[in-house]
Amino acid sequence: MRILSNTAVLLGKELQTEFRSRELLTTTIVFILIVIVLFSFTFDPSVSESRRFGPGLLWLAFLFSASLMLQPCFLKEKTNDTLSALRLCVADPFAIFLAKLLANACLLLLVQLLLLPIFAVFYNIKVGAVFPQLAMVFLFGSLGVSVTGTALSAISAQVRMRELMLPLLLLPLLVPILISSTEATAALLEEKPTLRLDWLGILIAFDVVFLTALWLFGEYLLEE
Amino acid sequence: MSQRIGRPTGIKFTKIEKRFGSLYALRRLDLEIAPGECLALTGRNGSGKTTLLRVASQLTRPTHGELAFLGLNASETPTVGYVSHAIMLYDELTAQENLLLFARLLGIQEPQERTLKLLEATNLAARATSLVRTFSRGMKQRLAIARALLQEPGLLLLDEPATGLDTESMEWLTGAIRGLRDEGRTVVMSLHGESSLSQLATRAARLDAGSLVADTHAGATFQNVFAVTGA
Amino acid sequence: MAKTGVYSFLVCTLMGVTAYAAFYIAPTEVTMGLVQRIFYLHAPSGMTSLMAFLVSFVGSVAYILTRKPRWDWLAVSAAEVGVAFCTVVLLTGPIWAHPAWGVWWAWDARLTSTLVLWLLYVAFLILRTMIEDADRRALVSAFFGVFTFLDVPLVYGSIWWWRTQHPQPVVFTSAGLDPTMRKVFYLSWLSLTCLMALLIRQRYELEQSRDELRSLEQELEAN
């Protein structure tokens, strides 16, 4: 199926471009660190308090930085009108979205996994034992952020005040992700860690709903 | 330029209208371009040339009207090559990577081979592994044409291809288009005025404010069509 | 026009009857007293705003599929009316909460969800102001409108589940509604729904007139 091969080719290109320069990756990681450090000044970072506030802060910092880092996604395709070139070459415009959202999800997941040890050190939380489960929560959370963020990046590239519009549109939409991811992460970092399938279920439901909506209606966003 | 060519494809615009908000870029335009024709399209800025070409490339959906491709069999889809104002290439990739990317997306068999052949034909083989960011305007234009030729299109659309080109690049471009025309491909190019490119045309037409106002097929002469162009 | 006039009159009458019922017919609640009566405005407004947002969603989907401008007019009209009713919920909440429970705000499931909903649809309306071209605005906001409405059950669900996991003092209940209270509640819901339909209709006609004006201006420019 050409849409799958198109997606693979474009995904390869997106990842290749990012790993060549690594600008998005490094700036995102540093930004999240800045936010986490700043947040730490707002409460007493004792072990018990950290356990309470830590997961929420991590995800909040993550959402803020995602809403900034997803901006160039479609904006950069305006530079030389490469979006038109893609539209001319792909069999189905959804391949463009799929490739970009998968690339963004990979980057977001990578950012989270790289930050996890730093987070564990800052807040004296043991993450080793539950690493696979945490990775799973991060995966579905990143996917949800990526699906909606990529779609909204296509929107914000077309409007005024786009630097403000993307966070404005994206953050309220991500409330279910914030709640579910925070709760699931917190449950995994407790004394007796548990994998909360209920919260994971909401994450997966979010991902499925918005991926389907993007599949059905996404091509209309790219129309002229 | 290439060994095989896609079947020459004509295009027929019927009552094509394109509105952008309150602006009518194209007003109920009728135009039929036969397979194999080389049409020079002219007109002032804002006359609708770019919009017409974008509608032909199917990047822009017309507000009203119909588009039909001529000279194809029932099951064939048109192969269209489009070169616009923007180069439609990735600055951060090399010339080869750009062509390879689009070749793979188009599903071309043996994309490496086709890429290398086109780079040679556009005199860019020496700079195949340089980033497009480092290219001159003339080189970018040549690469853009290479991209448009990936599918060996039966219809080639060129939007003001001579813009910003120096004499040497202009000579190359004229020779390249002559070659494509002689291979039988349909060529539609929008131009500002008479030049070595307009001399290649078998037909000329002028647009003004979204309507067709002069056409050598309707009795006008080449001189008439290019007469009042302005800026 | 006459029809709208008659309908407006009926809506006003219905609302008057509801107000009377809320103040005089419904029995006084035991613990909270007079201020509890605001419940008859607070709760149905929430439900009405959801209905308005559903109408907006229908408009958005219909626009994407048909590209007829009237669906865009419906989408924006219903969204604005929905935001208005949401605002009523958010304002009556504190007015009720403070005398009754001593707090201005409680992060209970319904109120918090309404707040997020309000933010989402205000973002929708702001998005529309950022796009000049009418057709592009209609298409882009229709797409966002679809996303926003699909998020509504997820928002409500996740917030409700979150509050269930971390129970807190219960506020904003009218636990064990007395039968008369229930009747007044439904009457209020009916009259607010009728008001919603009227407001959407008025706003829709405003949007329609704006579009006509725009077309006339374009025609004038063309000649």
Side-chain angles (χ1 to χ4, degrees):
Chain A
M1 281 221 299
R2 236 183 97 191
I3 187 175
L4 289 177
S5 73
N6 279 169
T7 306
V9 170
L10 279 175
L11 178 59
K13 180 248 163 206
E14 293 280 321
L15 292 175
Q16 176 192 37
T17 310
E18 178 47 36
F19 282 107
R20 217 176 248 182
S21 65
R22 289 179 303 278
E23 0 177 87
L24 218 48
L25 203 59
T26 36
T27 44
T28 307
I29 291 179
V30 174
F31 182 78
I32 298 184
L33 275 175
I34 292 173
V35 175
I36 290 182
V37 169
L38 255 56
F39 271 144
S40 305
F41 292 126
T42 62
F43 68 101
D44 172 26
S46 64
V47 177
S48 57
E49 292 285 275
S50 302
R51 193 157 282 157
R52 264 204 317 154
F53 290 114
L57 292 182
L58 182 65
W59 277 98
L60 203 53
F62 180 67
L63 287 195
F64 283 146
S65 70
S67 69
L68 293 176
M69 160 247 184
L70 287 167
Q71 187 74 267
C73 183
F74 271 94
L75 199 55
K76 69 184 182 200
E77 303 286 346
K78 275 184 125 179
T79 327
N80 290 332
D81 197 16
T82 41
L83 184 61
S84 293
L86 292 179
R87 287 173 61 209
L88 285 174
C89 294
V90 297
D92 185 333
F94 183 60
I96 303 176
F97 277 113
L98 199 52
K100 282 178 180 290
L101 76 89
L102 288 174
N104 288 328
C106 286
L107 289 173
L108 289 171
L109 183 58
L110 187 60
V111 163
Q112 283 187 300
L113 293 176
L114 288 173
L115 277 166
L116 192 56
I118 301 176
F119 174 75
V121 165
F122 273 0
Y123 294 129
N124 297 298
I125 299 176
K126 292 207 220 342
V127 298
V130 288
F131 186 80
Q133 292 93 323
L134 276 175
M136 194 162 53
V137 173
F138 289 168
L139 173 67
F140 289 116
S142 301
L143 202 55
V145 174
S146 180
V147 172
T148 41
T150 305
L152 293 181
S153 164
I155 289 183
S156 74
Q158 301 178 26
V159 309
R160 289 197 334 261
M161 292 189 68
R162 54 181 69 110
E163 292 79 14
L164 270 181
M165 284 313 292
L166 182 55
L168 187 80
L169 299 173
L170 185 60
L171 292 171
L173 218 51
L174 292 177
V175 162
I177 297 262
L178 179 62
I179 296 178
S180 310
S181 304
T182 304
E183 292 286 312
T185 307
L188 286 170
L189 297 178
E190 273 169 11
E191 303 280 330
K192 285 223 253 150
T194 43
L195 179 63
R196 294 293 298 272
L197 292 174
D198 48 354
W199 292 119
L200 208 58
I202 295 182
L203 281 180
I204 295 175
F206 186 97
D207 296 347
V208 169
V209 165
F210 285 101
L211 194 59
T212 311
L214 188 57
W215 174 58
L216 287 173
F217 298 117
E219 58 181 286
Y220 301 113
L221 271 186
L222 301 181
E223 257 181 29
E224 272 166 31
Chain B
M1 197 167 286
S2 319
Q3 263 59 55
R4 302 168 289 126
I5 54 165
R7 189 190 296 277
T9 311
I11 190 166
K12 182 171 176 183
F13 301 91
T14 312
K15 304 245 174 306
I16 292 285
E17 182 185 281
K18 180 63 187 175
R19 192 169 48 83
F20 293 106
S22 56
L23 178 72
Y24 281 89
L26 295 173
R27 295 171 196 272
R28 308 269 156 169
L29 193 115
D30 289 307
L31 178 63
E32 187 172 328
I33 305 170
E37 258 181 29
C38 183
L39 170 66
L41 200 61
T42 187
R44 276 198 292 260
N45 284 346
S47 55
K49 308 193 297 293
T50 299
T51 312
L52 188 66
L53 290 177
R54 280 191 94 87
V55 168
S57 68
Q58 297 181 291
L59 282 171
T60 302
R61 259 185 21 165
T63 331
H64 288 291
E66 271 163 39
L67 196 66
F69 290 95
L70 313 170
L72 295 171
N73 294 336
S75 55
E76 275 179 295
T77 45
T79 50
V80 179
Y82 175 61
V83 177
S84 84
H85 290 280
I87 56 165
M88 289 162 56
L89 295 163
Y90 287 100
D91 277 336
E92 68 271 16
L93 295 180
T94 67
Q96 191 168 10
E97 283 168 345
N98 263 290
L99 289 184
L100 212 51
L101 171 71
F102 293 116
R104 288 199 176 119
L105 289 175
L106 286 165
I108 289 174
Q109 313 280 50
E110 291 167 37
Q112 292 269 23
E113 205 186 292
R114 177 76 60 84
T115 299
L116 287 170
K117 221 188 283 185
L118 281 168
L119 285 172
E120 269 165 30
T122 51
N123 295 340
L124 289 170
R127 297 292 297 272
T129 53
S130 305
L131 295 178
V132 168
R133 193 182 318 208
T134 63
F135 280 18
S136 67
R137 168 75 199 176
M139 291 164 76
K140 286 180 183 175
Q141 194 72 315
R142 279 187 266 153
L143 191 59
I145 292 180
R147 181 191 40 74
L149 293 176
L150 277 170
Q151 267 188 100
E152 289 169 348
L155 171 62
L156 199 56
L157 306 165
L158 305 157
D159 197 351
E160 297 183 14
T163 315
L165 291 188
D166 56 34
T167 330
E168 193 187 311
S169 301
M170 194 55 181
E171 270 174 34
W172 175 87
L173 184 64
T174 311
I177 296 181
R178 181 181 298 120
L180 294 165
R181 178 200 67 182
D182 294 342
E183 278 173 2
R185 297 175 210 266
T186 316
V187 178
V188 181
M189 43 186 180
S190 81
L191 305 167
H192 263 314
E194 294 195 84
S195 65
S196 53
L197 290 180
S198 59
Q199 284 161 19
L200 298 170
T202 56
R203 176 182 177 185
R206 180 150 56 90
L207 290 185
D208 191 34
S211 302
L212 195 63
V213 295
D215 190 349
T216 51
H217 269 203
T221 64
F222 270 76
Q223 265 172 335
N224 285 4
V225 173
F226 282 99
V228 187
T229 15
Chain C
M1 266 308 139
K3 239 185 11 190
T4 321
V6 170
Y7 185 68
S8 307
F9 179 74
L10 284 175
V11 170
C12 287
T13 315
L14 191 56
M15 292 198 67
V17 168
T18 309
Y20 179 81
F23 279 106
Y24 296 107
I25 298 181
T28 312
E29 212 269 348
V30 174
T31 45
M32 293 178 270
L34 183 64
V35 78
Q36 182 271 347
R37 294 179 190 275
I38 207 170
F39 160 79
Y40 300 111
L41 181 59
H42 177 85
S45 288
M47 288 148 75
T48 313
S49 78
L50 278 175
M51 286 164 65
F53 292 140
L54 177 62
V55 172
S56 180
F57 174 69
V58 169
S60 290
V61 174
Y63 182 81
I64 294 179
L65 297 176
T66 65
R67 305 307 167 87
K68 295 238 161 52
R70 61 168 183 262
W71 291 113
D72 176 53
W73 305 337
L74 183 65
V76 65
S77 308
E80 281 187 14
V81 172
V83 169
F85 277 102
C86 250
T87 312
V88 168
V89 175
L90 296 174
L91 289 176
T92 54
I95 295 175
W96 184 11
H98 196 242
W101 295 287
V103 291
W104 283 114
W105 184 265
W107 292 91
D108 83 320
R110 248 203 319 254
L111 203 59
T112 311
S113 302
T114 310
L115 183 57
V116 174
L117 211 61
W118 186 87
L119 288 171
L120 275 171
Y121 277 93
V122 164
F124 171 87
L125 295 174
I126 293 179
L127 174 64
R128 289 183 65 93
T129 65
M130 294 293 165
I131 311 173
E132 268 87 47
D133 177 33
D135 293 324
R136 188 116 290 264
R137 175 173 61 225
L139 189 59
V140 169
S141 63
F143 183 90
F144 186 67
V146 167
F147 260 40
T148 310
F149 190 77
L150 289 174
D151 204 33
V152 170
L154 289 161
V155 166
Y156 270 86
S158 58
I159 291 179
W160 180 76
W161 193 237
W162 173 60
R163 289 284 71 164
T164 318
Q165 302 297 297
H166 307 278
Q168 33 138 242
V170 179
V171 281
F172 293 113
T173 45
S174 296
L177 268 184
D178 171 277
T180 319
M181 282 181 171
R182 190 165 295 156
K183 288 203 191 87
V184 177
F185 171 79
Y186 283 123
L187 176 65
S188 179
W189 187 19
L190 176 67
S191 67
L192 285 180
T193 305
C194 294
L195 178 64
M196 172 196 87
L198 176 66
L199 290 174
I200 293 180
R201 174 86 210 191
Q202 300 284 65
R203 180 65 183 83
Y204 176 92
E205 282 170 2
L206 174 64
E207 198 64 27
Q208 189 175 27
S209 306
R210 279 185 183 157
D211 185 75
E212 270 175 45
L213 180 63
R214 236 192 323 263
S215 309
L216 288 171
E217 281 176 345
Q218 285 169 23
E219 244 174 86
L220 205 62
E221 260 180 57
N223 308 331

